[in-house]
Amino acid sequence: MEYTIKLPGSQPVISLRELLESQWLIPRKVRHFLRIRKNVRINGELAQFQQEVYPGDQVTLLLQEDDYSYQPVSLGNAAKIRPLYEDEHLIVVDKPAGIKTHPNQPEEVGTLLNDLAAYLKKSGQRPYVVHRLDKETSGAILFAKNPLVLPILGRLLEEKQIYRRYQAIVAGSLAENMTITKKIGRDRHDRRKRVIDERGGQPAVTHVEVVSHSQKESRIFCVLDTGRTHQIRVHLAAIGHPILGDPLYNPRRSQGRLQLHAYQMILKHPFTEQTLKLTAAPGLW
């Protein structure tokens, strides 16, 4: 696996060692192999780990197949994949409602990851999960296409540098914008569910923007500061406005699909620093 990355104009002048370790988060074992195999080049020339890199430099890494572990995935249906953005390092797809993000067992099929594995097979690439959407949720979801970019995308997610905006339709009249900060924990009686747990739960922050409302239902956008399981669903149910079609948190009104859609994603590309603004339209309205 050979990767050539041109450093952007904003790249600080640092050592190659620091670039690989701190900026690209390449594991120690892999950095060791790159060094002893002499598998790093800068602008086509064999590189030393102590030398400096500069904006515009082209850094080439030659990685072996077994440098990174990979859990094989059964191939699904490539025709089901709807890319919103794709390059050699990452892909954002529009996930349909009613399909799981990834298998829970190696032999499981019928998930988005299975379909994406089939889609990427033609280019000799593999999908790596960065984050997930609930089975019932549709919309924009990000995957890595190689193990090199995976930890960098994971760090961007942890540091809240990937903006995700959700559409939802909720029960009742929700008239004002708000921020919900209730802590979320596991439901001791139902392993599928989460509950509000202010004493033992994890911090969770959901910003709500009201688009329109009537006595019967309200259309809203939600932006997350945290990424707890079922966060939007639990928070909205907790304030008395559960999402329509939610079989777990609004079972009495669970006709039709869950009205939750990952509408927009904005992130800065880890290598080019291009701002990617992606919309999974038309969404719920």
Side-chain angles (χ1 to χ4, degrees), residues 123-176:
S123 60
Q125 294 178 299
R126 296 167 171 172
Y128 296 81
V129 176
V130 177
H131 66 112
R132 59 184 292 275
L133 293 176
D134 295 341
K135 178 179 178 179
E136 300 87 353
T137 304
S138 58
I141 182 170
L142 170 67
F143 292 89
K145 293 174 66 175
N146 60 60
L148 183 64
V149 77
L150 180 62
I152 308 175
L153 294 174
R155 179 173 63 182
L156 291 179
L157 198 66
E158 290 177 3
E159 294 180 350
K160 305 180 182 63
Q161 295 186 49
I162 299 180
Y163 174 90
R164 291 177 290 165
R165 195 181 194 206
Y166 293 78
Q167 287 179 328
I169 304 177
V170 301
S173 178
L174 182 54
E176 296 181 353

Side-chain angles (χ1 to χ4, degrees), residues 49-111:
F49 272 41
Q50 67 270 21
Q51 75 181 82
E52 293 181 328
V53 296
Y54 295 86
D57 280 348
Q58 293 197 33
V59 180
T60 300
L61 307 179
L62 181 60
L63 300 171
Q64 303 298 323
E65 188 71 25
D66 58 357
D67 284 347
Y68 290 90
S69 61
Y70 180 77
Q71 180 67 50
V73 178
S74 300
L75 300 183
N77 186 350
K80 292 182 178 180
I81 295 299
R82 297 178 292 180
L84 299 173
Y85 173 85
E86 180 179 6
D87 62 24
E88 63 179 309
H89 297 291
L90 57 91
I91 182 170
V92 178
V93 303
D94 190 352
K95 174 189 172 297
I99 181 173
K100 292 171 64 174
T101 296
H102 57 78
N104 291 328
Q105 302 295 333
E107 66 277 5
E108 187 178 353
V109 295
T111 75

Side-chain angles (χ1 to χ4, degrees), residues 19 24 52 61 64 67 131 148 185 225 250 254 257 270 278 283:
L19 175 75
W24 289 356
E52 293 181 328
L61 307 179
Q64 303 298 323
D67 284 347
H131 66 112
L148 183 64
D225 281 358
N250 192 19
S254 60
R257 60 152 289 193
L278 311 168

Side-chain angles (χ1 to χ4, degrees), residues 32-50:
H32 172 71
F33 289 150
L34 286 170
R35 183 174 58 81
I36 64 173
R37 294 170 182 161
K38 302 184 184 303
N39 278 349
V40 185
R41 296 185 179 275
I42 297 178
N43 301 322
E45 301 292 332
L46 181 64
Q48 302 297 322
F49 272 41
Q50 67 270 21

